[in-house]
Amino acid sequence: MIAIDQLGNAIAGGNPDATISARTGYFARVVETPFRPYWKLMEKVINFTFRPIDGSDHCYEAYLADRDEKNEEGSDLMRGLLGIIVISTCIPLSVITRLYALVFPR
């Protein structure tokens, strides 16, 4: 799963050794960027998806676990592509994570 996540990040102009969540956590919470509202939106979508498994701060925790990796913001086109990847994967994944949490509660 991490390799697929890293592939999606690389396709969308990010570091091929970082995950989408770590990249999002970095730009949403750590570095000042004029695109912070975009990154905050992506963070909300991703955090909502993984809340049943990882809690409410998935992206920032992913960044902290991977902070040695260089994160690249990418061009407008690449940020748009990242948004498409995030939305198209997080909608079905949010259903799966919630079902998983029902079957295997903590």
Side-chain angles (χ1 to χ4, degrees):
M1 294 298 285
I2 291 173
I4 293 169
D5 191 359
Q6 289 173 329
L7 175 63
N9 191 43
I11 288 170
N15 179 348
D17 203 28
T19 64
I20 292 171
S21 297
R23 178 181 178 188
T24 301
Y26 175 72
F27 287 109
R29 304 272 288 280
V30 177
V31 70
E32 285 298 323
T33 173
F35 300 103
R36 182 163 275 177
Y38 165 83
W39 292 109
K40 294 297 268 182
L41 176 63
M42 293 296 101
E43 181 183 47
K44 284 181 182 182
V45 170
I46 295 168
N47 283 346
F48 174 81
T49 299
F50 292 101
R51 181 173 289 124
I53 296 172
D54 286 343
S56 62
D57 216 6
H58 172 80
C59 289
Y60 188 66
E61 294 293 326
Y63 159 71
L64 292 176
D66 216 11
R67 70 178 141 218
D68 293 334
E69 296 298 334
K70 182 178 184 264
N71 286 290
E72 300 167 23
E73 196 166 20
S75 68
D76 291 344
L77 177 64
M78 292 297 116
R79 276 189 303 279
L81 180 58
L82 181 67
I84 291 168
I85 291 170
V86 167
I87 298 299
S88 65
T89 58
C90 281
I91 290 171
L93 274 176
S94 65
V95 173
I96 292 168
T97 58
R98 275 146 184 79
L99 289 174
Y100 178 85
L102 285 173
V103 174
F104 303 103
R106 291 184 183 184

